[in-house]
């Protein structure tokens, strides 16, 4: 693996992941209020089942994060069981699914998908730097794990993931999985608030 730790840009972008996430999300929120496309109305009277896709992506993201967090043994090993059989970074995968759900719910598909793709850049930097740290600290374990996909799940490994799963609720709590539990509730509430704001401006 190429040593990206020499590139200051990687560290700069990785360390500002939270700030970049907030900025991109604020841009999407502004577009939802003042843009030409309305956000998804989850609680309205429409019958289009596709409107629930963003919410389902958010729920899936929360589930993936909780599953990954319940298997993660941070700073003790290269975790390879459970969700980590499918992807190297299930927590980042969960984040990305949640972000994608929120961005899709905000209306302007082209703009918001572009913002979501921009959001993947700091996540990619963090993933690469974490992998290089694991390779330095656990070289033997990392070598056995290196063929696992970075973030796109290899679904044919699902039986292996279930067989090696060692999920623990206490471990999930220690790894802060609870922080995302509110996302599926906040998404429709956020959109109803944005729709109300649009009607007033």
């Amino acid at each position: 693996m190429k040593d990206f730790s020499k590139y200051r840009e990687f560290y700069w972008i990785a360390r500002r992941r939270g700030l970049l996430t907030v900025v991109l999300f604020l841009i999407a929120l502004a577009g939802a209020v003042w843009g030409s496309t309305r956000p998804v109305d989850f609680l309205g009277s429409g019958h289009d089942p596709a409107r629930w896709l963003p919410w389902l992506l958010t729920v899936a993201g929360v589930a993936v994060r909780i599953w990954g967090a319940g298997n993660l043994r941070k700073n003790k090993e290269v975790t390879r069981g459970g969700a980590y059989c499918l992807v190297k970074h299930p927590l980042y995968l969960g984040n990305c699914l949640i972000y994608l759900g929120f961005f899709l719910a905000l209306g302007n598909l082209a703009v918001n998908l572009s913002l979501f793709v921009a959001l993947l850049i700091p996540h990619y930097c963090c993933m690469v730097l974490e992998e290089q740290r694991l390779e330095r600290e656990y070289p033997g374990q990392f070598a056995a794990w290196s063929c696992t996909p970075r973030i796109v799940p290899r679904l044919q490994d699902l039986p292996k993931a279930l067989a090696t799963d060692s999920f623990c609720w206490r471990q999930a709590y220690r790894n802060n999985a609870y922080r995302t539990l509110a996302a599926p509730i906040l998404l429709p509430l956020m959109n109803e608030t944005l729709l109300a704001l649009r009607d007033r401006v």
Side-chain angles (χ1 to χ4, degrees):
M1 179 188 292
K2 185 176 180 180
D3 186 7
F4 286 97
S5 62
K6 298 175 183 176
Y7 297 96
R8 292 182 180 178
E9 298 85 1
F10 256 67
Y11 280 112
W12 189 91
I13 294 170
R15 287 179 181 161
R16 286 156 182 82
R17 186 184 76 210
L19 175 62
L20 292 169
T21 300
V22 170
V23 168
L24 293 170
F25 193 64
L26 287 175
I27 294 169
L29 286 174
V33 175
W34 290 289
S36 59
T37 310
R38 289 175 64 83
V40 174
D41 187 0
F42 292 105
L43 305 179
S45 58
H47 298 290
D48 181 10
R51 68 181 172 160
W52 288 99
L53 176 62
W55 187 81
L56 292 172
L57 284 169
T58 303
V59 171
V62 171
V64 169
R65 271 196 62 88
I66 291 173
W67 187 21
N71 278 275
L72 177 61
R73 307 296 182 260
K74 197 180 290 186
N75 299 323
K76 294 182 180 178
E77 64 177 8
V78 176
T79 305
R80 291 176 285 166
Y84 290 84
C85 284
L86 302 176
V87 286
K88 288 179 181 170
H89 303 281
L91 302 186
Y92 287 121
L93 173 59
N95 281 349
C96 289
L97 289 171
I98 293 168
Y99 295 148
L100 180 59
F102 271 74
F103 277 113
L104 289 178
L106 291 175
N108 192 321
L109 194 61
V111 171
N112 291 337
L113 281 179
S114 300
L115 293 172
F116 172 72
V117 170
L119 186 58
L120 295 179
I121 296 170
H123 280 71
Y124 174 77
C125 293
C126 289
M127 286 185 278
V128 170
L129 292 173
E130 281 184 22
E131 287 171 26
Q132 293 190 335
R133 180 184 65 81
L134 291 172
E135 188 175 22
R136 286 192 305 271
E137 295 177 5
Y138 309 98
Q141 293 180 36
F142 184 86
W145 181 67
S146 60
C147 62
T148 304
R150 181 168 282 145
I151 197 165
V152 178
R154 191 166 51 208
L155 295 178
Q156 62 264 35
D157 289 339
L158 184 58
K160 181 182 175 185
L162 296 174
T164 59
D165 186 52
S166 59
F167 181 85
C168 170
W169 282 109
R170 183 178 297 173
Q171 198 67 31
Y173 180 80
R174 285 178 185 162
N175 289 318
N176 302 316
Y178 60 87
R179 290 182 180 175
T180 58
L181 286 172
I185 300 168
L186 290 176
L187 180 57
L189 292 177
M190 176 192 75
N191 274 36
E192 290 304 306
T193 303
L194 292 170
L195 288 166
L197 285 172
R198 281 180 66 95
D199 293 339
R200 298 181 71 174
V201 296

